[in-house]
Structures are given as C-alpha cells and as structure tokens.
C-alpha cells in the first residue's frame, strides 16, 4: 500500500550518515506536524527503494528513532509514529540537527565556584623547566610490563580481578607499610595504609575526612596549589604562615593558633614546595608539639622522599608522631612515573577506614593487577635499584644545572643548590617574570608562572625550575634559552 506521506529528504554526502539524515528528517516532520502520532511510516524496503538506498540503512534509522521514542514498531504491522512523543517544546529540532556538536555550555547551572586549576602543558617539542617532574625515559618498562602481566595472572587466579578492598590490595599495603617502617621510621601496618591515585587524592581524602565548612586550614604563604584548592573545595578558610630557610615559621603558626581554631596544617617538610627548603629538626619538633597543644592535624605531603642528595633523606614528621597527629601522604609518581597514579595515605586505622568510605564514593578501588605488580617490584628490589640509578642521574643533572645557571644568570638572580628534590628555586631581583616567561616561551622553553604558588595573592619574585626530566644536553639547551630570554628582559 502506498502511504500518503513522502519523506522530504534530499540525501547529501557529508559528515552526517544517510541513516542520521533519515532520523532527522522524520523528527523534523513530526515536529512540523506532517507526521501525527500513530501515523504509519513506509516499510523499510519501500523507503529504501524510494530513496535509492539499502533497506538496512532505513532499518538502522528506524531503530534509532525507536530508541529515541519517536516511533514504535509493531510486529507484522509496521512502524508507526509514537503515540507519546518525546517532549521537545521550545527546542528547535532544526537547530539541533544542524549543529551536531556538543554545545560549549550546558543548559543547566553548575554548583559552587569553579576550580581554577588548569594543566599548563607545553607543546611536545618544547623544552620545559616543569615544576619538578621525574625522568620517565628511564622507567624500567620491561620489568614493569613483566610484573603487570604477573599481576594480572595472579589477581585472576586469586579471583581478585573483581571488586575488592577500597583501601587497596593487602599485599601492596603490607609492602608499603614494611618499607615505611624500615626506611622512614613510621611503625606502620597494612591497616594504616589506604592506596590512592597519587598523593593528590590522598590530600583530597584528608580534606574530605577532616574539614567542615568554615574550618581553618593553615598553608604556607607559598604552597602547592592543588592541595590548597582541595581544602578550599570542602569549605576550608585558608590561613597563611610564612616559610623561611628553616621551613614553616612556627612562631607565626602559634600566633595564628591563638587567634583561630586551626583544624589542619598542610606542609611539605622534606622539600618545601615550591622553595625546596628542608624543614629543620627543631621546627619539626615544635610543629608536632603545637599540634598536640592546639589539637590540629598535620598533613605531611612527602611527595619526593627518596631524592635527597647531600645526606640521607630526613625522617618524616610522621616518624616522631606517637599520638596520631600526622596524616602522612606519599606517592610513586616521582619515584617511578606520575602516570601510574599510585599514592598512599598512612594514618591511624580509624581514619584510614573513614577514607575507605570516601574511596567507595569516588572510584571504588584501585587497579589490583597494578598493585600486585608494584608489590612484586618492591619485593624484588627493582624499585630500590631504580631509585639508586635515578639518584645518580639527578645528582649529575643538579650539578650541571647549577653550573649552567651560574653562567647565564650573571648576578640577576640568586639560588641555593637544593639539598633534595627535583627543582631549583631561583629568585630574580626586580625582573618582570611575566615578561621573562613569555620570552622563554617565544624560544620554546616552557616555565610555569609562579603566581599560583602564592597562597596570599602576593606577587612571587622567583621561579621553580624542575631540572630532573631533562638530560644533560637538554638542560644546557634550556639554560641557554633562559639566559637569552633574560638578556632580552629589562628590569
Ligand atoms: C607538593 C606536591 N604534592 C603532591 C603532588 C601530587 O603528586 P601525585 O598526585 O602525582 O602523587 C605533587 C606533584 O607534583 C607535588 O609537587
């Protein structure tokens, strides 16, 4: 039977498939009233012949229309315009069908102020003094791949490839606890560990479990922006305390504690971010005493513990804590690779259990096969070997970078060779850093503007220059570009 409706469709060649063109033409006819609810559509063979296309294409279009609720198919009777059409008042199908990209803005409002953090990544061919990333070209990928394959096999055999413990696998938690106990003096057990996707997630979990809206969190005047943002996100009021060559100024901190009820203090005592300063033992002791006196939590972010050059790494604050003041956050990002996304929190068990509840809401759990792989790499001594190897590279790079900087800075900036960590903090005297960074970018050298490090909004007169991810030749080239940019930048 010939139906009294003709699809007004001139097929075009373009981005839109033929099947999509049919879908949009039918919807448009429904919207314009050419097709009423219950109206029978031509059979797929018939419409295919009319349009000179394969019947299957029409069937695909009808299936899509049915999935969207525009038509219904009745066995042996055919396809009909749906009786209950989707609600599309005030929305022009015409406009929708012409613009097939997802709109830039959603049609609804979003909650809370937006997070101001954005990844500032250089184009791939550029050199970059990043904020302290490790050298990833030396990651022992064969060993990691072998361990991952073993990890997949063993987790499958042990039936652990499904949902598991939100704190992470028992094996890796035990291995990390043993490492923290042997190397960092923490006296931790597996129940004190929650695995995370990097230390950033550990900081976020600490913020979630600790902070109520309006609570005061102290950070240093210069600090790690994503940590600060995590505290702000849960409603913390940020108070700032100065940091000097000995670490956080504990007298200032005490004054803040006398004025406000401080809930947490976030520090990077081993290698302060961004200034690289190592907190002195006296300040560490004083900080723990203040935590006991005023009842705040210390969030100790030990993001690059192993890479200390002048002497053995200093023991973390957490190793002196016998009363549960410290939430210790660590990571394998600098040790192996940031893309592994493997970090951990070490804290009293009840807090770890609370964090496990938060993990259930965020990402449920980590990757058990990767956790098994890392356990194997730790137990086989592979991670230790890699650390020792990288330490040698970084010591050489640090020395070469210091020489290179001295040669190009010509008294226009000052720096201390850092005792540890993967970056230098270079203070420029009276130089417009915005201009300097822009000049560097013209020379395809990427440096992060330091403004974001400031917790108080004050201008920062120094740059954090990560040296570790550039080899000696690249460091020389990058340093020369910095020198040339500096020569072009007036005071
Ligand atoms: C001070 C500090 N904390 C935390 C992190 C986050 O590291 P991840 O989440 O990769 O472990 C970084 C990364 O650079 C950092 O510099």
């Amino acid at each position: 039977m010939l139906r009294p409706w003709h699809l007004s469709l001139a097929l075009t060649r373009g981005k839109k498939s033929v099947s999509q063109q049919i879908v949009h033409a039918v919807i448009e006819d429904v919207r314009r009233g050419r097709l009423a609810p219950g109206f029978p559509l031509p059979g797929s063979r018939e419409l295919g012949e009319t349009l000179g296309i394969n019947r299957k294409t029409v069937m695909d279009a009808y299936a899509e229309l049915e999935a969207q609720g525009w038509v219904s198919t009745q066995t042996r009777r055919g396809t009909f315009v749906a009786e209950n059409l989707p609600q599309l008042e005030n929305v022009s199908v015409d406009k929708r069908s012409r613009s097939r990209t997802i709109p830039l803005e959603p049609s609804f409002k979003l909650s809370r102020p937006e997070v101001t953090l954005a990844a500032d990544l250089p184009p791939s061919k550029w050199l970059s003094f990043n904020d302290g990333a490790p050298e990833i070209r030396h990651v022992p990928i064969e060993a990691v791949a072998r361990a991952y394959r073993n990890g997949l096999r063993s987790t499958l055999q042990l039936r652990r490839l499904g949902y598991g413990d939100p704190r992470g696998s028992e094996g890796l938690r035990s291995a990390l606890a043993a490492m923290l106990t042997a190397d960092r003096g923490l006296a931790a057990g597996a129940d004190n560990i929650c695995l995370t996707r990097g230390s950033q997630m550990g900081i976020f979990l600490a913020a979630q479990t600790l902070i109520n809206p309006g609570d005061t969190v102290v950070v240093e005047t210069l600090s790690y922006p994503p940590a600060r943002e995590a505290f702000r996100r849960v409603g913390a009021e940020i108070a700032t305390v100065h940091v000097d060559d000995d670490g956080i100024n504990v007298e200032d901190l005490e004054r803040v504690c006398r004025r406000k009820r401080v809930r947490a203090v976030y520090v990077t005592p081993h290698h302060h971010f961004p200034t690289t300063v190592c907190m002195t033992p006296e300040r560490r002791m004083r900080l723990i005493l203040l935590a006991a006196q005023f009842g705040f939590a210390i969030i100790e972010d030990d993001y690059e513990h192993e890479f200390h050059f002048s002497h053995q790494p200093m023991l973390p604050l957490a190793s002196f804590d016998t009363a549960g003041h410290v939430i210790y956050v660590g990571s394998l990002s600098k040790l192996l690779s940031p893309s592994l996304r493997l970090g951990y929190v070490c804290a009293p068990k009840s807090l770890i259990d609370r964090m496990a509840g938060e993990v259930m809401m965020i990402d449920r759990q980590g990757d058990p096969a990767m956790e098994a792989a890392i356990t194997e790499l730790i137990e086989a001594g592979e991670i230790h070997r890699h650390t020792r190897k990288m330490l040698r590279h970084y010591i050489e790079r640090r020395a070469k970078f210091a020489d290179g900087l001295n040669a190009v800075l010509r008294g226009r900036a000052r720096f201390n060779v850092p005792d540890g960590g993967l970056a230098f903090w270079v203070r420029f005297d009276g130089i417009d850093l915005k201009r300097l960074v822009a000049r560097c970018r013209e020379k395809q050298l990427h440096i992060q503007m330091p403004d974001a490090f400031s917790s108080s909004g004050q201008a920062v007169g120094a740059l954090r220059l990560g040296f570790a991810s550039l080899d000696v030749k690249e460091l020389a080239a990058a340093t020369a570009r910095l020198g040339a940019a500096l020569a072009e930048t007036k005071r």
Side-chain angles (χ1 to χ4, degrees):
M1 188 180 76
L2 200 64
R3 319 261 181 187
W5 169 76
H6 298 284
L7 184 61
S8 50
L9 175 62
L11 291 172
T12 56
R13 280 177 186 279
K15 280 193 202 149
K16 218 185 277 176
S17 71
V18 172
S19 155
Q20 277 178 329
Q21 292 179 53
I22 296 172
V23 168
H24 291 135
V26 170
I27 294 175
E28 188 56 18
D29 274 5
V30 173
R31 283 202 40 87
R32 287 192 301 192
R34 286 192 72 219
L35 283 173
F39 199 89
L41 294 178
S44 54
R45 189 186 309 276
E46 181 189 331
L47 187 55
E49 277 167 13
T50 312
L51 296 172
I53 57 170
N54 195 311
R55 176 188 180 196
K56 169 85 172 45
T57 308
V58 180
M59 287 164 70
D60 287 347
Y62 281 2
E64 173 65 27
L65 285 162
E66 184 160 24
Q68 290 187 25
W70 294 99
V71 304
S72 68
T73 302
Q74 296 169 22
T75 320
R76 284 204 215 98
R77 289 199 57 223
T79 303
F80 299 81
V81 177
E83 292 291 349
N84 297 313
L85 290 167
Q87 297 290 309
L88 268 179
E89 282 94 60
N90 305 325
V91 178
S92 158
V93 171
D94 197 22
K95 266 194 218 140
R96 279 163 49 101
S97 54
R98 255 188 243 133
S99 125
R100 288 296 294 154
T101 53
I102 295 178
L104 205 57
E105 299 290 342
S107 64
F108 38 82
K109 279 212 173 85
L110 303 180
S111 73
R112 298 195 278 192
E114 77 182 279
V115 177
T116 51
L117 296 171
D120 182 13
L121 300 172
S124 60
K125 295 248 161 55
W126 287 26
L127 294 172
S128 172
F129 286 129
N130 51 46
D131 70 358
E135 171 61 272
I136 46 163
R137 290 169 292 189
H138 290 302
V139 172
I141 48 166
E142 291 306 326
V144 174
R146 220 177 306 119
Y148 191 70
R149 184 193 299 260
N150 293 342
L152 265 178
R153 280 214 192 93
S154 64
T155 41
L156 185 64
Q157 275 160 10
L158 295 168
R159 297 174 186 268
R160 293 202 183 126
L161 219 44
Y163 290 116
D165 191 329
R167 296 173 302 173
S169 70
E170 159 90 35
L172 184 51
R173 287 186 294 115
S174 295
L176 287 172
M179 183 271 283
L180 292 178
T181 304
D183 299 348
R184 304 189 196 174
L186 255 66
D191 283 349
N192 299 117
I193 306 280
C194 180
L195 302 181
T196 56
R197 287 180 62 76
S199 40
Q200 182 58 35
M201 181 171 159
I203 295 164
F204 189 73
L205 288 178
Q208 285 279 5
T209 47
L210 213 65
I211 313 298
N212 290 309
D215 281 350
T216 299
V217 174
V218 170
V219 301
E220 288 140 305
T221 36
L222 294 168
S223 64
Y224 183 58
R228 231 169 35 224
E229 206 57 47
F231 301 127
R232 286 217 175 96
R233 201 75 200 133
V234 291
E237 302 280 344
I238 301 291
T240 57
V241 166
H242 276 96
V243 55
D244 56 29
D245 287 347
D246 292 337
I248 189 167
N249 185 320
V250 279
E251 278 81 36
D252 269 8
L253 175 60
E254 184 170 351
R255 273 190 283 277
V256 173
C257 289
R258 292 199 181 283
R259 277 202 330 269
K260 299 174 179 221
R261 169 110 176 73
V262 171
R263 189 98 175 98
V265 176
Y266 166 78
V267 281
T268 45
H270 203 204
H271 309 132
H272 174 256
F273 189 102
T275 69
T276 78
V277 163
C278 185
M279 195 188 295
T280 58
E282 297 75 34
R283 292 262 174 109
R284 287 165 188 252
M285 289 308 154
R286 189 88 191 97
L287 183 56
I288 292 190
L289 288 175
L290 288 175
Q293 185 180 347
F294 292 100
F296 59 73
I298 299 170
I299 300 169
E300 180 176 22
D301 178 1
D302 202 7
Y303 59 107
E304 49 179 19
H305 181 85
E306 289 75 7
F307 299 123
H308 208 75
F309 309 120
S310 51
H311 47 78
Q312 283 295 311
M314 205 178 269
L315 290 181
L317 283 168
S319 69
F320 303 105
D321 174 32
T322 48
H325 299 305
V326 181
I327 301 173
Y328 182 78
V329 182
S331 172
L332 273 81
S333 286
K334 305 290 151 87
L335 201 52
L336 219 47
S337 155
S339 70
L340 272 182
R341 305 313 303 142
L342 236 161
Y344 51 89
V345 179
C346 180
K349 180 180 180 309
S350 68
L351 176 55
I352 292 297
D353 293 345
R354 282 281 296 272
M355 288 185 174
E358 298 288 332
V359 172
M360 291 291 290
M361 285 186 285
I362 304 172
D363 71 343
R364 183 55 181 80
Q365 69 186 59
D367 169 359
M370 183 52 90
E371 289 168 12
I374 299 295
T375 312
E376 180 182 316
L377 292 172
I378 292 175
E379 287 173 351
E382 191 69 52
I383 303 264
H384 258 116
R385 268 192 294 285
H386 182 63
T387 308
R388 280 200 300 277
K389 178 173 146 190
M390 294 319 298
L391 206 50
R392 285 195 296 277
H393 280 294
Y394 295 154
I395 286 171
E396 185 194 12
R397 290 176 187 191
R398 180 183 70 138
K400 291 271 196 283
F401 187 42
D403 290 347
L405 274 180
N406 276 324
V408 301
L409 294 178
R410 297 164 192 253
R412 297 184 73 188
R414 295 162 291 128
F415 65 90
N416 293 325
V417 179
D419 285 341
L422 307 184
F424 281 42
W425 183 243
V426 183
R427 294 182 167 89
F428 290 80
D429 298 322
I431 287 171
D432 182 342
L433 290 184
K434 213 167 175 186
R435 228 178 245 165
L436 176 62
V437 167
R439 290 258 184 276
C440 287
R441 290 187 184 198
E442 283 165 18
K443 298 176 194 324
Q444 305 201 338
L445 171 65
H446 182 270
I447 299 177
Q448 199 182 334
M449 269 304 287
D451 300 353
F453 304 148
S454 171
S455 318
S456 57
Q458 274 196 331
V460 182
L463 294 176
R464 182 170 163 94
L465 303 180
F467 64 91
S469 60
L470 298 172
D471 66 24
V472 170
K473 244 170 99 183
E474 291 163 336
L475 270 175
T479 311
R481 287 183 205 179
L482 173 63
L486 188 60
E488 293 166 14
T489 310
K490 294 201 188 86
R491 278 179 194 273

